[in-house]
Amino acid sequence: MIFDLHSHSTASDGVLSPPDLVSRAAQQGVNVLALTDHDEIRGVFAARAAAAEHGIDLVAGVEISVTWSGRTIHIVGLRVDPEHPVLLEGLRCNRSGRRDRAQRMADALAGAGIPGSMAGACLLATNKELISRTHFARFMVEQGYVKNMKTVFKKFLVRGKPGYVSHQWAALADAIDWIHAAGGVAVLAHPGRYEIGKEKMALLMAEFKELGGEAIEVVTGSHTPDQVPVFAAYAERYALQASVGSDFHAPGEGGRELGRLAPLPAHCIPVWQGW
Ligand code: AMP
Ligand code: MN
Ligand code: MN
Ligand code: MN
C-alpha cells in the first residue's frame, strides 16, 4: 500500500486541479492520497469524486498555517469533516489576512525592483482567497527575475529577504482544536524544515503533544534521508504517530513526486493504523 498524506491542488498553491491531482496520484500507484491544501478544504469534494473513479482512497485534509513562538509552522489535519462549521470558520479566518499580506509582499518586492507582482501572483492563483508565496515565486521565475523556485525563495521570500513580510496566523491550540472539532487528527508537518535548535524543537514537540496533537511527519518531501531517523526518534520519544507525505505541488518544479517516498522506519506507529 502506498500512502501519500500531504499534497496540494489549485485550491491552494498546487498547479493541478483536484481531479488531475488524483489522476496523477493513481498513475503513480498511490493507494491512499490526502489532499491538504493550505488553509482551504474546498478541493476535497471534486478530489473525492475523482478518487472513486480511479479506485483510490481520498483522505480529506488541510494544512493550517500557524504562528508559534514568533515563527510560521504548518499543522496538517487528516480525515476531517470538510463541512464542519468550526473548521470552516477557522480556515476562513486564516485566509482572510492573505490578500493584505500579498499586497504588503508586492509593495516590498516593488521596492526591490520587481513591479507588478500583485497582479502577476493573483493571475496565477486559481483560488483568489489563497494567494501564497508560491504564486509570487512562480511569477518571478516566469518573468525571468530568478532562475528557479529554490532561488527565488532563498533570495527574496524568506525571513530577512526583501520580499518577506511577517504575518500573524492561527494559534497552535486553535488549529489543533479546529481539526479535532472536525473529527480529524492533527499532524505536525515537515518538522525538519523549521530552523530551530534542539531545545526549541523539544518545546514544540512537548506543546504539540500537550495540546492533543497525534502525529508528526517523519517521511516527507521536505526531509533529507538523514532527517528521517531523527524525526522517527522524536515520534517515539513524544509518543506520537508517524505520517508520510510528498508535499507535492507541481510537476517539474523541483519538489517530490506523488507517492515517491521512503518507507517509515520499523519502530514508527503509522498514523493510518486503525483506519
Ligand atoms: P505561504 O503559505 O504563502 O507562506 O507559502 C508557503 C509555501 O511556499 C509552502 O507551502 C511552499 O509551497 C512554498 N515554499 C516555502 N519555502 C519554499 C522553498 N524554499 N522552496 C520552494 N517553495 C517553498
Ligand atoms: Mn505550498
Ligand atoms: Mn508546509
Ligand atoms: Mn504542504
Side-chain angles (χ1 to χ4, degrees), residues 6-8 13 36 38 63 74 190 247 249:
H6 189 149
S7 69
H8 296 274
D13 59 352
T36 56
H38 298 286
E63 181 174 20
H74 287 167
H190 42 62
D247 207 357
H249 283 75

Side-chain angles (χ1 to χ4, degrees), residues 8 13 38-39 63 65 72 74 98 101 131-134 149-150 153-154 158 169 193 247 249:
H8 296 274
D13 59 352
H38 298 286
D39 304 319
E63 181 174 20
S65 313
T72 300
H74 287 167
R98 277 189 179 264
R101 170 190 188 242
I131 303 174
S132 84
R133 281 183 291 163
T134 312
M149 294 293 280
K150 200 177 158 175
F153 274 90
K154 207 168 97 185
V158 292
W169 301 108
R193 231 171 68 186
D247 207 357
H249 283 75

Side-chain angles (χ1 to χ4, degrees), residues 108-149:
L109 287 169
I114 298 171
S117 66
M118 184 68 187
C122 198
L123 211 60
L124 293 173
T126 303
N127 180 356
K128 308 299 181 197
E129 286 181 23
L130 214 296
I131 303 174
S132 84
R133 281 183 291 163
T134 312
H135 299 109
F136 281 88
R138 289 191 185 122
F139 166 77
M140 286 159 72
V141 173
E142 270 186 23
Q143 295 295 305
Y145 289 110
V146 201
K147 65 175 190 294
N148 60 37
M149 294 293 280

Side-chain angles (χ1 to χ4, degrees), residues 5-8 34-41 60-69 71-80 87 90-91 94 98 169-181 184-191 193-194 196 201 203-217 240 243 247 271:
L5 301 179
H6 189 149
S7 69
H8 296 274
L35 177 62
T36 56
D37 277 308
H38 298 286
D39 304 319
E40 177 62 272
I41 194 133
V62 65
E63 181 174 20
I64 304 178
S65 313
V66 161
T67 300
W68 179 80
S69 189
R71 58 183 63 242
T72 300
I73 65 167
H74 287 167
I75 303 296
V76 162
L78 298 176
R79 296 185 111 200
V80 293
L87 178 63
L91 298 180
N94 232 15
R98 277 189 179 264
W169 301 108
L172 178 58
D174 290 340
I176 294 172
D177 286 352
W178 302 338
I179 291 166
H180 287 167
V185 297
V187 184
L188 177 63
H190 42 62
R193 231 171 68 186
Y194 310 130
I196 56 181
M201 185 62 78
L203 281 177
L204 173 58
M205 294 283 170
E207 194 174 328
F208 178 70
K209 175 75 184 178
E210 171 77 24
L211 292 169
E214 281 93 352
I216 65 172
E217 289 183 345
L240 291 159
S243 190
D247 207 357
V271 67

